[in-house]
PDB file of all heavy atoms in Angstrom:
ATOM      1  N   ARG B 298     198.157  74.000  27.207  1.00  0.00           N
ATOM      2  CA  ARG B 298     197.933  74.737  28.466  1.00  0.00           C
ATOM      3  C   ARG B 298     196.453  75.041  28.645  1.00  0.00           C
ATOM      4  O   ARG B 298     195.756  75.363  27.675  1.00  0.00           O
ATOM      5  CB  ARG B 298     198.732  76.060  28.433  1.00  0.00           C
ATOM      6  CG  ARG B 298     200.274  75.825  28.548  1.00  0.00           C
ATOM      7  CD  ARG B 298     201.031  77.063  28.751  1.00  0.00           C
ATOM      8  NE  ARG B 298     200.809  77.993  27.680  1.00  0.00           N
ATOM      9  CZ  ARG B 298     200.787  79.339  27.852  1.00  0.00           C
ATOM     10  NH1 ARG B 298     200.976  79.888  29.056  1.00  0.00           N
ATOM     11  NH2 ARG B 298     200.620  80.159  26.813  1.00  0.00           N
ATOM     12  N   HIS B 319     195.064  76.078  25.040  1.00  0.00           N
ATOM     13  CA  HIS B 319     196.082  76.644  24.169  1.00  0.00           C
ATOM     14  C   HIS B 319     197.017  75.561  23.755  1.00  0.00           C
ATOM     15  O   HIS B 319     197.555  74.840  24.605  1.00  0.00           O
ATOM     16  CB  HIS B 319     196.812  77.783  24.910  1.00  0.00           C
ATOM     17  CG  HIS B 319     197.628  78.617  23.972  1.00  0.00           C
ATOM     18  ND1 HIS B 319     197.083  79.734  23.351  1.00  0.00           N
ATOM     19  CD2 HIS B 319     198.897  78.510  23.545  1.00  0.00           C
ATOM     20  CE1 HIS B 319     198.006  80.262  22.574  1.00  0.00           C
ATOM     21  NE2 HIS B 319     199.108  79.538  22.685  1.00  0.00           N
ATOM     22  N   LEU B 320     197.257  75.445  22.475  1.00  0.00           N
ATOM     23  CA  LEU B 320     197.990  74.289  21.948  1.00  0.00           C
ATOM     24  C   LEU B 320     199.111  74.728  21.033  1.00  0.00           C
ATOM     25  O   LEU B 320     198.932  75.584  20.172  1.00  0.00           O
ATOM     26  CB  LEU B 320     197.009  73.396  21.193  1.00  0.00           C
ATOM     27  CG  LEU B 320     197.462  72.059  20.680  1.00  0.00           C
ATOM     28  CD1 LEU B 320     196.328  71.062  20.810  1.00  0.00           C
ATOM     29  CD2 LEU B 320     197.900  72.094  19.247  1.00  0.00           C
ATOM     30  N   LYS B 321     200.336  74.202  21.303  1.00  0.00           N
ATOM     31  CA  LYS B 321     201.477  74.447  20.391  1.00  0.00           C
ATOM     32  C   LYS B 321     201.777  73.135  19.630  1.00  0.00           C
ATOM     33  O   LYS B 321     201.748  72.077  20.220  1.00  0.00           O
ATOM     34  CB  LYS B 321     202.732  74.815  21.197  1.00  0.00           C
ATOM     35  CG  LYS B 321     202.844  76.285  21.473  1.00  0.00           C
ATOM     36  CD  LYS B 321     204.213  76.582  22.099  1.00  0.00           C
ATOM     37  CE  LYS B 321     204.220  77.963  22.727  1.00  0.00           C
ATOM     38  NZ  LYS B 321     205.390  78.139  23.615  1.00  0.00           N
ATOM     39  N   TYR B 322     202.094  73.283  18.357  1.00  0.00           N
ATOM     40  CA  TYR B 322     202.371  72.060  17.594  1.00  0.00           C
ATOM     41  C   TYR B 322     203.565  72.316  16.658  1.00  0.00           C
ATOM     42  O   TYR B 322     203.888  73.417  16.282  1.00  0.00           O
ATOM     43  CB  TYR B 322     201.146  71.632  16.758  1.00  0.00           C
ATOM     44  CG  TYR B 322     200.623  72.663  15.844  1.00  0.00           C
ATOM     45  CD1 TYR B 322     201.125  72.766  14.526  1.00  0.00           C
ATOM     46  CD2 TYR B 322     199.590  73.499  16.213  1.00  0.00           C
ATOM     47  CE1 TYR B 322     200.630  73.717  13.647  1.00  0.00           C
ATOM     48  CE2 TYR B 322     199.129  74.482  15.343  1.00  0.00           C
ATOM     49  CZ  TYR B 322     199.648  74.587  14.071  1.00  0.00           C
ATOM     50  OH  TYR B 322     199.179  75.533  13.219  1.00  0.00           O
ATOM     51  N   PHE B 333     191.723  69.662  13.866  1.00  0.00           N
ATOM     52  CA  PHE B 333     191.988  69.664  15.295  1.00  0.00           C
ATOM     53  C   PHE B 333     190.789  69.130  16.023  1.00  0.00           C
ATOM     54  O   PHE B 333     189.662  69.517  15.670  1.00  0.00           O
ATOM     55  CB  PHE B 333     192.317  71.094  15.802  1.00  0.00           C
ATOM     56  CG  PHE B 333     193.717  71.565  15.393  1.00  0.00           C
ATOM     57  CD1 PHE B 333     193.850  72.565  14.423  1.00  0.00           C
ATOM     58  CD2 PHE B 333     194.831  71.011  15.998  1.00  0.00           C
ATOM     59  CE1 PHE B 333     195.120  72.987  14.073  1.00  0.00           C
ATOM     60  CE2 PHE B 333     196.101  71.465  15.643  1.00  0.00           C
ATOM     61  CZ  PHE B 333     196.256  72.449  14.640  1.00  0.00           C
ATOM     62  N   ASP B 363     205.338  74.965  12.039  1.00  0.00           N
ATOM     63  CA  ASP B 363     204.980  74.990  13.470  1.00  0.00           C
ATOM     64  C   ASP B 363     204.042  76.155  13.785  1.00  0.00           C
ATOM     65  O   ASP B 363     204.105  77.184  13.130  1.00  0.00           O
ATOM     66  CB  ASP B 363     206.282  75.140  14.302  1.00  0.00           C
ATOM     67  CG  ASP B 363     207.238  73.986  14.058  1.00  0.00           C
ATOM     68  OD1 ASP B 363     206.850  73.121  13.252  1.00  0.00           O
ATOM     69  OD2 ASP B 363     208.342  73.970  14.623  1.00  0.00           O
ATOM     70  N   GLY B 364     203.209  75.965  14.802  1.00  0.00           N
ATOM     71  CA  GLY B 364     202.295  77.067  15.097  1.00  0.00           C
ATOM     72  C   GLY B 364     201.569  76.840  16.421  1.00  0.00           C
ATOM     73  O   GLY B 364     201.878  75.903  17.183  1.00  0.00           O
ATOM     74  N   GLU B 365     200.645  77.731  16.718  1.00  0.00           N
ATOM     75  CA  GLU B 365     199.861  77.658  17.949  1.00  0.00           C
ATOM     76  C   GLU B 365     198.394  77.869  17.570  1.00  0.00           C
ATOM     77  O   GLU B 365     198.065  78.498  16.561  1.00  0.00           O
ATOM     78  CB  GLU B 365     200.277  78.753  18.919  1.00  0.00           C
ATOM     79  CG  GLU B 365     201.697  78.605  19.370  1.00  0.00           C
ATOM     80  CD  GLU B 365     202.072  79.659  20.412  1.00  0.00           C
ATOM     81  OE1 GLU B 365     201.217  80.148  21.115  1.00  0.00           O
ATOM     82  OE2 GLU B 365     203.282  80.013  20.440  1.00  0.00           O
ATOM     83  N   MET B 366     197.494  77.307  18.375  1.00  0.00           N
ATOM     84  CA  MET B 366     196.062  77.554  18.194  1.00  0.00           C
ATOM     85  C   MET B 366     195.373  77.523  19.544  1.00  0.00           C
ATOM     86  O   MET B 366     195.956  77.112  20.529  1.00  0.00           O
ATOM     87  CB  MET B 366     195.449  76.486  17.232  1.00  0.00           C
ATOM     88  CG  MET B 366     195.585  75.059  17.611  1.00  0.00           C
ATOM     89  SD  MET B 366     194.372  74.490  18.781  1.00  0.00           S
ATOM     90  CE  MET B 366     192.951  74.322  17.798  1.00  0.00           C
ATOM     91  N   GLU B 367     194.158  78.041  19.572  1.00  0.00           N
ATOM     92  CA  GLU B 367     193.446  78.080  20.839  1.00  0.00           C
ATOM     93  C   GLU B 367     191.994  77.718  20.616  1.00  0.00           C
ATOM     94  O   GLU B 367     191.409  78.111  19.611  1.00  0.00           O
ATOM     95  CB  GLU B 367     193.571  79.481  21.432  1.00  0.00           C
ATOM     96  CG  GLU B 367     193.130  79.550  22.893  1.00  0.00           C
ATOM     97  CD  GLU B 367     193.579  80.881  23.526  1.00  0.00           C
ATOM     98  OE1 GLU B 367     192.851  81.844  23.396  1.00  0.00           O
ATOM     99  OE2 GLU B 367     194.656  80.879  24.170  1.00  0.00           O
TER     100      GLU B 367
END
Side-chain angles (χ1 to χ4, degrees):
Chain B
R298 290 190 300 147
H319 194 89
L320 187 144
K321 271 189 195 165
Y322 58 88
F333 285 109
D363 300 358
E365 297 182 29
M366 57 82 77
E367 193 167 85

